Amino acid sequence: MRSRSEARWARFMDAAGIEWTYESEGYDLDGVRYLPDFHLQKLDCWLEVKGARPEWNSPDFEKARRLSLASGRMVYVVSGELGPGYVIDAFGKPTMWKPRWCVCLLCKRVGITSQGDAAKLPCKCFDEDESYTSGDWGVVRDALLTARQERFGT
C-alpha cells in the first residue's frame, strides 16, 4: 500500500469481512491513467482513499467522477483516518449523501451504501423498494476500533 491511510482502510475491511482488491484495474480517463485504490468485489463499487477530504471541485474528485462513468460503478471517496467522505453514483454524479457502512439484517454481510440503507446492499436480501437500517452495528464499530488501534511500522 502506498499510505498508512490505505493500510488502515484495508485493516477495517478485513476486520469487517469485506473482500477487496488493491489497485487491481487501471483506467484511461480521457487520456489520464488512473488506478483506483480498492475494488470491493461483492459490493460492486470502488473505495478511493484520500489523505484529506477532497473539495467537490478538486482534481481528485473529478478523477473519481470519471471513474464512476468509465466503470459504471459507485465510487465512495473517503478521507484518510477512517473519516467521512463522498458518494459518486454510477452516472458520475455526486450525491448529497455520505457513505455509510451498514450490516444486512438477514445475511449479516457488512457493506457500504450512500444512505446506510441495508436494503440497498448488493446481497439483495430485501426488495429494492424496502428500507432497513443496519442490523448489528457492533460489527462495524468493532472493525473501526480494530483499524484505528492498528500500529504500522515506520
Side-chain angles (χ1 to χ4, degrees):
M1 310 246 157
R2 296 179 198 228
S3 71
R4 287 183 185 188
S5 295
E6 290 172 346
R8 195 167 305 284
W9 276 101
R11 182 67 183 106
F12 163 76
M13 291 184 287
D14 286 344
I18 299 168
E19 292 182 29
W20 55 271
T21 55
Y22 179 71
E23 295 187 345
S24 61
E25 183 179 356
Y27 285 86
D28 182 340
L29 306 176
D30 299 322
V32 176
R33 296 291 305 149
Y34 192 60
L35 190 59
D37 293 330
F38 295 98
H39 179 224
L40 313 183
Q41 301 94 314
K42 290 189 176 176
L43 300 176
D44 195 31
C45 66
W46 299 104
L47 184 72
E48 274 297 298
V49 178
K50 302 301 174 195
R53 191 172 182 202
E55 297 296 324
W56 286 101
N57 59 353
S58 71
D60 283 337
F61 198 83
E62 176 60 19
K63 283 190 250 181
R65 188 188 71 75
R66 287 183 183 187
L67 172 63
S68 74
L69 289 170
S71 67
R73 295 181 180 128
M74 297 282 280
V75 177
Y76 296 94
V77 181
V78 295
S79 58
E81 296 304 314
L82 304 175
Y86 297 110
V87 178
I88 302 171
D89 70 19
F91 304 103
K93 296 181 181 168
T95 70
M96 64 182 199
W97 304 106
K98 304 278 186 253
R100 304 252 188 253
W101 296 98
C102 52
V103 182
C104 177
L105 293 167
L106 297 179
C107 71
K108 307 297 184 203
R109 285 192 189 133
V110 175
I112 187 170
T113 67
S114 60
Q115 301 173 44
D117 185 351
K120 304 295 186 247
L121 289 171
C123 60
K124 304 293 184 208
C125 290
F126 297 100
D127 292 332
E128 284 189 28
D129 38 334
E130 294 180 274
S131 181
Y132 293 94
T133 54
S134 186
D136 183 10
W137 278 104
V139 173
V140 174
R141 181 198 63 231
D142 291 349
L144 285 169
L145 286 173
T146 297
R148 285 184 176 133
Q149 292 171 352
E150 186 77 29
R151 297 295 170 247
F152 303 99
T154 54

